[in-house]
Amino acid sequence: MAAISMQAVGKHFGKTEAIRNVGFDIRDGEFAVFVGPSGCGKSTLLRLIAGLEDVGTGTIAFDGRDVTELAPAERGVAMVFQSYALYPHMSAYDNMAFGLKLAKTDKRNIDDRVRDAARILQIEPLLDRKPRELSGGQRQRVAIGRAIVRQPRVFLFDEPLSNLDAALRMQMRIELKRLHRDLGTTMIYVTHDQVEAMTLADRIVVLNAGAVEQIGAPLALYHHPRNLFVAGFIGSPKMNFLAATVTACDASQVTLDLGTRRPVIAAVADTTRLRPGAKVTLGLRPEHLTDTLADAAQLDGEVIALEHLGSESYVHLACGHDESLVIKSVGDTAIEVGQRVSVAVPPRACYLFDETGTALLRPD
Ligand code: ATP
């Protein structure tokens, strides 16, 4: 197990600045998830920690020891990739044992470790099979087994579940969580899927254009995103953003004009940075909005699309702003396309962002 510390880490590929001045710590035994849109530098950061890429500037330390110049094999990390990269001519057992054989580990010890990993991953009956005789999920388990037998100080996962179907991904997520609990080893997991990040992580590191936007526990990011980027990235369906003007504010609440028939009242923990006339962005999560009685509502609009998911429905409203407003409704909603719907905005459902996109403090 290891704590990892990054200080002022930077990396260029030619003119592309893939990582910009990244500095944070991952705690010993923590499950950290790097998340962000395609090309934001997640894989590069993981590969820098693994030693598969040379660090441009800055340092990386494991348990206080500088590993920046150490080769991957000397760092005690094991990596699992999206492509399982198993040897096709070897059995699952031999694939898992291969690295240990190369390291001249004694046979008995190899056998113990492979069978132990197979038991943890519930693939004991499959050890004699070749990769082509295994399903995608079983292959990925063998690839994870190959990492486990090395007893690494840190597991590094680079989108390991992307090739699996939705049901299997969910099952594997639960298994990875269990694995983390059983082994207690530091794990770093890269994904572009915020649902995966929310469900797996002790702490999420949100990356954007090579830099860290915010680090925090999943629910801390959900309730208190630092800026528009994190607010728009964490949560599904995505947060709605509406342009608004402040018309009044006191110590704990702000009155907003959205160009709608009623003002919206937003609860804010600190209004010192606001004054009447300020332009802000109001963020509203679809799950916090409900269709309601017309006379109690602040927003209304025409339904332009409906998505039925069975357990819930997403209603898209055209309400005079650039983007449609999405609200989450019940699975068997009676709402129809073309209908007008009114929406109530509870004060505590409001997320506010100033003109720079920085969030205003919300009440807990
Ligand atoms: P994805 O989710 O699409 O895998 P990512 O967040 O993992 O993306 P990286 O693969 O880390 O992103 O890439 C970060 C940036 O660095 C991108 O602009 C990418 O084009 C660039 N890059 C990555 N590897 C190389 C390389 N070997 N040579 C040149 N540019 C690279």
Side-chain angles (χ1 to χ4, degrees):
M1 289 198 277
I4 297 167
S5 175
M6 278 164 279
Q7 282 186 5
V9 173
K11 173 75 182 172
H12 275 82
F13 293 107
K15 287 209 173 80
T16 308
E17 192 178 19
I19 298 296
R20 289 192 283 140
N21 191 26
V22 163
F24 62 89
D25 293 343
I26 294 169
R27 299 174 194 130
D28 192 6
E30 188 169 29
F31 200 135
V33 176
F34 297 170
V35 72
S38 183
C40 71
K42 314 177 286 289
S43 298
T44 302
L45 193 55
L46 197 73
R47 292 169 62 81
L48 289 170
I49 294 169
L52 296 171
E53 298 284 357
D54 291 333
V55 171
T57 53
T59 56
I60 299 176
F62 285 10
D63 286 333
R65 179 180 172 219
D66 190 338
V67 299
T68 316
E69 302 299 328
L70 284 190
E74 295 170 82
R75 297 190 187 193
V77 300
M79 200 149 164
V80 180
F81 300 93
Q82 177 178 348
S83 63
Y84 323 117
L86 299 176
Y87 296 109
H89 58 285
M90 286 186 197
S91 66
Y93 184 102
D94 288 337
N95 263 289
M96 286 164 68
F98 187 65
L100 297 178
K101 278 186 190 156
L102 281 187
K104 307 225 178 318
T105 310
D106 86 58
K107 247 182 156 168
R108 182 75 184 277
N109 191 351
I110 294 178
D111 193 60
D112 284 348
R113 290 206 214 173
V114 170
R115 293 196 185 281
D116 213 30
R119 184 182 46 75
I120 292 170
L121 294 163
Q122 295 161 356
I123 51 171
E124 288 157 298
L126 309 175
L127 286 176
D128 292 333
R129 294 206 201 161
K130 300 269 168 53
R132 68 168 179 279
E133 296 163 330
L134 299 171
S135 72
Q138 292 165 340
R139 281 180 216 173
Q140 193 52 287
R141 267 176 243 209
V142 175
I144 294 169
R146 191 174 46 183
I148 293 176
V149 298
R150 295 179 52 202
Q151 299 177 340
R153 300 165 75 197
V154 182
F155 283 94
L156 304 175
F157 296 100
D158 194 353
E159 307 231 17
L161 309 185
S162 302
N163 287 344
L164 308 178
D165 67 41
L168 197 50
R169 271 212 303 275
M170 189 191 260
Q171 187 189 334
M172 289 297 291
R173 282 208 302 264
I174 291 163
E175 288 186 19
L176 279 175
K177 276 296 257 192
R178 185 174 52 81
L179 187 69
H180 179 246
R181 221 181 27 243
D182 290 351
L183 300 177
T185 311
T186 311
M187 293 188 174
I188 308 177
Y189 188 103
V190 160
T191 179
H192 60 270
D193 178 348
Q194 64 88 30
V195 174
E196 224 165 77
M198 291 294 282
T199 50
L200 283 172
D202 293 326
R203 277 194 310 161
I204 297 176
V205 179
V206 182
L207 291 164
N208 180 27
V212 174
E213 293 279 355
Q214 192 170 355
I215 301 177
L219 287 181
L221 297 193
Y222 177 86
H223 291 300
H224 300 286
R226 181 181 289 165
N227 55 34
L228 278 172
F229 181 85
V230 178
F233 199 80
I234 300 290
S236 177
K238 189 176 161 305
M239 185 184 283
N240 298 290
F241 293 122
L242 303 168
T245 306
V246 174
T247 55
C249 51
D250 62 27
S252 60
Q253 64 179 36
V254 177
T255 309
L256 300 168
D257 174 21
L258 280 85
T260 48
R261 54 188 173 141
R262 281 167 190 275
V264 168
I265 309 288
V268 183
D270 176 11
T271 56
T272 48
R273 278 158 55 212
L274 287 180
R275 56 185 164 64
K279 302 281 179 214
V280 292
T281 302
L282 170 64
L284 297 170
R285 295 200 182 277
E287 59 272 33
H288 296 156
L289 299 174
T290 41
D291 46 300
T292 184
L293 294 172
D295 58 354
Q298 295 94 337
L299 302 175
D300 69 348
E302 184 183 326
V303 180
I304 53 167
L306 262 176
E307 296 175 278
H308 289 291
L309 275 76
S311 60
E312 60 208 34
S313 307
Y314 300 131
V315 184
H316 297 247
L317 297 182
C319 60
H321 285 260
D322 292 346
E323 288 180 24
S324 57
L325 183 80
V326 181
I327 65 172
K328 183 174 150 183
S329 189
V330 291
D332 53 359
T333 178
I335 292 173
E336 289 176 9
V337 172
Q339 185 181 332
R340 284 202 80 77
V341 166
S342 299
V343 181
V345 181
R348 294 178 70 89
C350 297
Y351 294 70
L352 280 188
F353 305 88
D354 67 15
E355 275 185 299
T356 68
T358 306
L360 291 148
L361 210 57
R362 307 179 72 224
D364 279 330

